Amino acid sequence: GVRDFLGRAVVFDGVVDEVPPTGSIAIQIGGGAGPVLHAKIADHASFAKGDACSTAVRPEEINVTPLERVQDTDASNVIRGVISTLSFIGDRYEARIQVPWGHEISVHLAPTDDWRAGQPVAITIAPHALQVWPADVGIADTSAEDAMASGV
């Protein structure tokens, strides 16, 4: 269920920016201070511009690339960030990435790149990987910071 999904998810609070008639939605994350993410929504879901909402993504659906290798950092569903801490754990790195509106996101990075603390990165999330629900649903009581604290 959704609650089970949230146990292992990165959660962003946001505001609905636009609702095109295509079964997708545009959300300004970071409580309205961050970039706009596009997400798919269920047919029965109903949102209006300006609605508070939450969106979640499983950590394995988050794609991190060194910023200098990204052609278009203003593209849809790209979040800029900076690696704040980095630990090597067996076959991968565990990184915390600081995003512009003050949150940190915990992700795993493949050891294929030469990652370092302080490195600027681009975080990309595919629209189909994002789950969205209204902020007043109560499930969204777990903020991104709480998710971080629980080691997500």
Side-chain angles (χ1 to χ4, degrees):
V2 177
R3 193 172 286 281
D4 175 57
F5 172 82
L6 282 183
R8 307 185 295 279
V10 174
V11 180
F12 301 108
D13 293 326
V15 176
V16 176
D17 191 55
E18 100 185 90
V19 188
T22 55
S24 67
I25 188 171
I27 301 154
Q28 187 171 25
I29 58 171
V36 171
L37 294 183
H38 294 266
K40 298 282 181 215
I41 53 173
D43 293 340
H44 60 275
S46 96
F47 292 94
K49 185 175 169 65
D51 284 357
C53 63
S54 293
T55 181
V57 60
R58 291 180 186 275
E60 62 269 21
E61 298 281 358
I62 296 173
N63 185 9
V64 181
T65 312
L67 192 63
E68 69 266 14
R69 292 220 315 262
V70 177
Q71 309 272 301
D72 183 8
T73 56
D74 294 321
S76 175
N77 288 33
V78 174
I79 304 168
R80 291 172 185 241
V82 175
I83 295 175
S84 55
T85 61
L86 193 62
S87 311
F88 189 68
I89 310 169
D91 61 344
R92 62 187 177 186
Y93 288 99
E94 187 169 283
R96 289 173 77 88
I97 299 175
Q98 178 92 33
V99 290
W101 60 95
H103 282 149
E104 283 195 333
I105 302 169
S106 288
V107 295
H108 291 128
L109 302 174
T112 48
D113 278 291
D114 189 17
W115 303 108
R116 64 184 191 281
Q119 180 176 17
V121 294
I123 300 163
T124 311
I125 304 168
H128 66 79
L130 288 161
Q131 303 263 358
V132 185
W133 64 93
D136 59 9
V137 165
I139 298 167
D141 291 346
T142 311
S143 70
E145 280 147 2
D146 294 339
M148 292 292 121
S150 63
V152 170

